[in-house]
Amino acid sequence: FGIGGAVAVAWLVPRSRSGSRLAGIALAIGFAGTALSPGFQGIDAIGAAAARVVDPLMWRTGFDTSYGRTVVAMLVALFCAIFGLLVSKAGLARFLSVAGVVIGAGALALSGHASAAAPQWLTQPSVFAHAAMITLWVGALPPLGLALRLNRDDAAMALHRFSTFIPYAVLLLIVSGLALAIIQVQRPAALVETAYGQLLVVKLALLVLLFAFAALNRYRLTRGAEDG
């Protein structure tokens, strides 16, 4: 919400800057969580008690895993998004916000089960695309919703820009998600025999509902909102 929100403020609602405060709060929470996460990653890797999060060994262990690279890259991404919200020059704000998405999505592709699976040439770009498109989609919702609710002068244009872009983002989201699901599940029976497969089935059911709402919004509600 923070990184995607910074993009939305810079690209969709640069005049009213609707949702910039919410994006800033989300970025602060994300920064704090990311900065603390290596210690908990070390605890998970070793199997230690949570109280040992203050032990330097836990932090060294966390940074020594592939997740350490994710943390460093994500902190850079969050810094880019934060400065993108703070700068006054529109061009620089747009550049920094996009850099935040690119680096943040890249950070998630550096570690985790999906990015570690073979073939790497497919899984890492798929994780990158999946994370980037989710970030842009969900991050745009609060600024766009606030601009419409408060009847800002750039709300209609923001909605038009969002509606033009989002079908391509959703398409890439679906393609990359299917690629990762096929690689992880491997055989249809695993959808019911494994915990991962069962969670994936639940997620897909929820996504069908989500996409139904998205289709209703785009094909029935957006034109009316654009017309006032």
Side-chain angles (χ1 to χ4, degrees):
F1 278 102
I3 294 176
V7 173
V9 170
W11 290 84
L12 298 181
V13 287
R15 291 202 302 272
S16 66
R17 296 184 59 81
S18 299
S20 57
R21 181 176 298 179
L22 286 176
I25 293 172
L27 286 168
I29 295 171
F31 188 88
T34 303
L36 290 171
S37 63
F40 291 102
Q41 176 69 13
I43 285 173
D44 183 60
I46 293 178
R52 291 187 63 188
V53 70
V54 296
D55 186 342
L57 175 62
M58 301 300 110
W59 288 78
R60 287 196 299 271
T61 302
F63 273 114
D64 284 343
T65 67
S66 62
Y67 185 71
R69 294 175 296 170
T70 290
V71 170
V72 173
M74 188 61 75
L75 289 175
V76 174
L78 290 162
F79 266 122
C80 287
I82 290 169
F83 284 115
L85 281 178
L86 295 177
V87 298
S88 57
K89 293 184 178 181
L92 182 58
R94 289 184 171 186
F95 172 79
L96 288 171
S97 66
V98 171
V101 173
V102 172
I103 299 172
L108 296 179
L110 291 175
S111 64
H113 64 95
S115 61
Q120 291 282 281
W121 63 265
L122 177 60
T123 56
Q124 287 192 324
S126 295
V127 171
F128 173 86
H130 207 63
M133 295 307 103
I134 290 173
T135 299
L136 293 173
W137 188 1
V138 302
L141 297 181
L144 186 59
L146 282 172
L148 289 165
R149 182 177 181 183
L150 299 175
N151 199 27
R152 301 298 191 188
D153 58 354
D154 55 358
M157 179 57 69
L159 179 62
H160 178 75
R161 290 173 177 171
F162 177 80
S163 298
T164 301
F165 161 77
I166 202 62
Y168 302 101
V170 171
L171 178 61
L172 187 53
L173 181 69
I174 293 172
V175 171
S176 58
L178 284 174
L180 292 170
I182 291 171
I183 291 169
Q184 292 292 301
V185 175
Q186 296 185 353
R187 54 191 180 86
L191 289 171
V192 294
E193 294 175 353
T194 65
Y196 180 88
Q198 293 164 7
L199 286 172
L200 181 61
V201 169
V202 173
K203 180 179 179 179
L204 291 174
L206 292 172
L207 282 174
V208 169
L209 180 62
L210 176 64
F211 288 148
F213 280 126
L216 172 65
N217 181 67
R218 175 171 174 75
Y219 297 111
R220 293 294 300 275
L221 304 178
T222 296
R223 180 63 60 82
E226 288 182 324
D227 292 340

